[in-house]
Amino acid sequence: MNPGTRKPSSLPFVGDRFHARTVRVKAPGKVNVSLSVGPLRPDGYHSVASVYLAVSLYEEVAATSTEAEGITVSISPESTLDLDGVDIPLDERNLAYKAAAIMAEMSEKPTGVHLEITKRVPVAGGMGGGSADAAATLLACDALWNSGLSREELAHLAAELGADVPFSLLGGTAVGLGVGDKLSPALAKAQMDWVLVFADYGLSTPDVFRALDGLRDSEGVEIAEPVDVDPTILQALRHGDPETLSRVLINDLQRASIALAPQLRDTIGLGEARGALAGMVSGSGPTIALLARDSVSASVLAEELTHRGHIAVAVHGPVPGARIISDTLL
């Protein structure tokens, strides 16, 4: 890339003075509207067939160029999660850090960068919060360093970081095959309303998959590789039909999550008793996704569950994937 083609705001120095620039990006969490899981493969992974729905609960990453070299990460005090006792690595183990490191390798003139992450999606909650951070960071650093990568090129980098990262970049509704990284956008734009119920603990995704393998081994049932999703799910999403959708929700990981955290069954039962059309564990859990009839019903249900001592929030989907919300020269 010819440096002379860069925007003036991308240049870290004006004369001898360093000018920092901040690019802020938001990226959505997701709900697995359906999740079929195949048997354990020789490579240690599981094939899946899933329908992903991006919902209106967003992570934000502010990427600020720094005069010092390297990558630093912090958690914003504006985060809405209670992070007391939650171990979020702020070094190279963090997915956002890894995303910035990949972008630095792909960019001609990267600066140092500080990533400030505003956490709203539960940590280890089965909603892809860390993946949203990574997707937001890819887009932010691409803009910050004028890397000029296409969305398709960013999606390839996203796939290197984890199965859920490409979807957080894409957003909307998509069918995921393979290990979840082979995405096909679905034409489903009608709004669906949900109530998310957060737990005050996390579940390790690998632990949940291992628990599922253990349950299946004990049953001695041969599991087929999933190759597609139920078309009824996509039709219900396309037509905005929550009644039909409520009858076809599926999550193969749910029973494993409940085996590790039996109280999740009670939360689903309470939500359905108080008006949800259906409830399910989101991904590997422990977040519970309760399908509501409409936005009013979702708001009422979230308020009632909150009064009963749960952490509940009404959301809707589909929503767009990672998007730049501000770009400021400091």
Side-chain angles (χ1 to χ4, degrees):
M1 182 185 297
N2 180 354
T5 64
R6 290 174 178 265
K7 298 177 183 178
S9 63
S10 72
L11 297 172
F13 287 91
V14 178
D16 293 329
R17 184 180 175 189
F18 178 85
H19 283 260
R21 177 183 169 202
T22 296
V23 178
R24 183 177 291 272
V25 175
K26 70 176 183 179
K30 56 84 180 171
V31 169
N32 293 82
V33 179
S34 77
L35 179 56
S36 299
V37 179
L40 181 64
R41 305 188 320 196
D43 63 3
Y45 290 93
H46 297 74
S47 296
V48 302
S50 184
V51 177
Y52 297 107
L53 181 72
V55 296
S56 57
L57 186 67
Y58 300 94
E59 297 279 271
E60 287 186 17
V61 174
T64 301
S65 54
T66 61
E67 196 165 1
E69 294 182 358
I71 302 165
T72 55
V73 181
S74 68
I75 304 300
S76 170
E78 300 299 316
S79 299
T80 57
L81 293 180
D82 181 1
L83 297 174
D84 288 343
V86 178
D87 181 24
I88 299 178
L90 302 179
D91 53 20
E92 62 275 2
R93 296 171 294 166
N94 188 288
L95 268 184
Y97 185 108
K98 293 178 180 179
I102 287 180
M103 285 305 305
E105 292 177 0
M106 299 296 297
S107 305
E108 289 189 6
K109 291 188 177 181
T111 63
V113 65
H114 177 71
L115 307 173
E116 184 182 56
I117 304 173
T118 303
K119 298 293 298 178
R120 299 189 182 95
V121 177
V123 177
M127 290 190 62
S131 297
D133 296 337
T137 300
L138 288 174
L139 190 58
C141 289
D142 176 66
L144 188 68
W145 297 329
N146 274 0
S147 304
L149 299 184
S150 66
R151 277 279 175 155
E152 184 177 359
E153 290 170 321
L154 289 174
H156 283 301
L157 297 179
E160 296 180 21
L161 294 165
D164 287 341
V165 183
F167 176 69
S168 192
L169 195 65
L170 174 68
T173 308
V175 174
L177 301 176
V179 294
D181 58 327
K182 297 177 181 177
L183 292 176
S184 301
L187 297 176
K189 297 182 179 180
Q191 178 173 313
M192 288 287 186
D193 296 283
W194 303 77
V195 173
L196 304 176
V197 187
F198 305 145
D200 57 1
Y201 55 90
L203 285 177
S204 161
T205 298
D207 287 350
V208 175
F209 274 95
R210 279 192 290 269
L212 178 63
D213 293 335
L215 289 170
R216 288 173 167 177
D217 288 345
S218 68
E219 294 165 351
V221 177
E222 186 172 342
I223 304 298
E225 291 281 343
V227 295
D228 208 346
V229 300
D230 183 347
T232 305
I233 293 174
L234 296 177
Q235 291 169 6
L237 288 169
R238 188 177 304 119
H239 296 301
D241 182 356
E243 292 278 359
T244 297
L245 184 62
S246 70
R247 296 191 289 271
V248 290
L249 295 177
I250 180 174
N251 180 2
D252 283 351
L253 290 178
Q254 177 165 305
R255 62 184 185 131
S257 300
I258 290 175
L260 295 174
Q263 61 270 37
L264 295 177
R265 181 182 285 108
D266 296 333
T267 304
I268 294 172
L270 175 61
E272 292 177 343
R274 306 314 300 176
L277 295 176
M280 65 189 304
V281 173
S282 176
S284 57
T287 301
I288 297 298
L290 300 169
L291 178 61
R293 193 176 307 278
D294 50 38
S295 59
V296 173
S297 300
S299 295
V300 170
L301 177 58
E303 184 175 354
E304 180 161 352
L305 292 176
T306 298
H307 287 161
R308 289 173 174 265
H310 292 275
I311 305 170
V313 59
V315 300
H316 64 270
V319 298
R323 294 289 184 273
I324 295 174
I325 55 177
S326 66
D327 187 342
T328 308
L329 185 64
L330 305 179

